[in-house]
């Protein structure tokens, strides 16, 4: 998990911006459920539906069986060296955390817990399945 106070300050955003990222956290949980049931290669079928370039890149790296440390380095480099602030930066941080946990084989519940923590202004009820 990224623990960089300067980065956290740059990723600070409004309640509305955090609310807009709830579907992303739920999507990461859903992807984890898919991997749990069908394996990592099942992510390949999801790529065409994923429009976010950062998420798509991370999933491609996982499918290609890139080492976890290398995926972390690639995603971290994008976070640190491509300018983004607020909601967009927070979005990348959440994606990074979720993908690394998916690759590590974490449970859907753990992926949910470890990604929703970045949305501290949001009530837990927003993350319950509809």
């Amino acid at each position: 998990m990224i623990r960089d106070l300067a980065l956290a300050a740059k990723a600070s955003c409004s309640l509305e911006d955090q609310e807009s990222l709830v579907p992303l956290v739920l999507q990461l949980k859903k992807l984890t459920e898919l991997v749990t049931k069908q394996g990592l290669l099942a992510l390949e079928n999801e790529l065409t539906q994923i429009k976010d370039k950062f998420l798509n890149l991370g999933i491609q790296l996982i499918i290609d069986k890139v080492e976890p440390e290398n995926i972390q380095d690639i995603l971290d480099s994008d976070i640190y060296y491509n300018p983004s602030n607020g909601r967009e930066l927070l979005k990348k941080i959440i994606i990074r955390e979720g993908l690394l946990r998916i690759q590590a084989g974490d449970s859907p519940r753990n992926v949910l817990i470890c990604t929703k923590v970045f949305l501290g202004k949001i009530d837990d009820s927003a993350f319950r399945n509809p």
Side-chain angles (χ1 to χ4, degrees):
M1 190 173 288
I2 292 179
R3 289 183 173 82
D4 179 329
L5 293 178
L7 189 66
K10 284 179 63 177
S12 179
C13 57
S14 69
L15 173 62
E16 293 79 22
D17 283 342
Q18 285 194 13
E19 286 173 342
S20 74
L21 295 173
V22 169
L24 172 64
V25 169
L26 295 174
Q27 180 184 21
L28 288 165
K29 180 184 179 220
K30 185 177 178 182
L31 290 171
T32 309
E33 291 168 348
L34 177 68
V35 167
T36 301
K37 292 176 185 171
Q38 299 179 25
L40 287 173
L41 290 179
L43 293 173
E44 198 163 18
N45 297 328
E46 302 298 311
L47 282 175
T48 57
Q49 299 170 20
I50 296 173
K51 304 302 179 212
D52 184 274
K53 290 180 183 181
F54 190 72
L55 179 56
N56 199 295
L57 168 66
I59 289 175
Q60 286 178 13
L61 293 170
I62 290 172
I63 292 167
D64 291 342
K65 298 182 180 167
V66 173
E67 292 294 321
E69 300 81 23
N70 292 338
I71 292 177
Q72 183 173 342
D73 287 345
I74 292 166
L75 298 179
D76 284 354
S77 294
D78 186 289
I79 288 170
Y80 281 102
Y81 299 110
N82 289 322
S84 55
N85 288 307
R87 182 190 174 280
E88 283 307 307
L89 180 56
L90 184 58
K91 181 179 175 183
K92 286 182 176 183
I93 291 169
I94 290 169
I95 289 170
R96 174 203 178 273
E97 186 66 25
L99 290 177
L100 292 175
R101 294 198 177 269
I102 288 170
Q103 186 182 35
D106 282 10
S107 69
R109 177 184 160 115
N110 195 46
V111 170
L112 177 66
I113 290 167
C114 293
T115 53
K116 77 177 186 175
V117 72
F118 295 102
L119 303 178
K121 296 178 183 177
I122 306 298
D123 187 83
D124 281 347
S125 64
F127 299 99
R128 293 196 183 98
N129 288 334

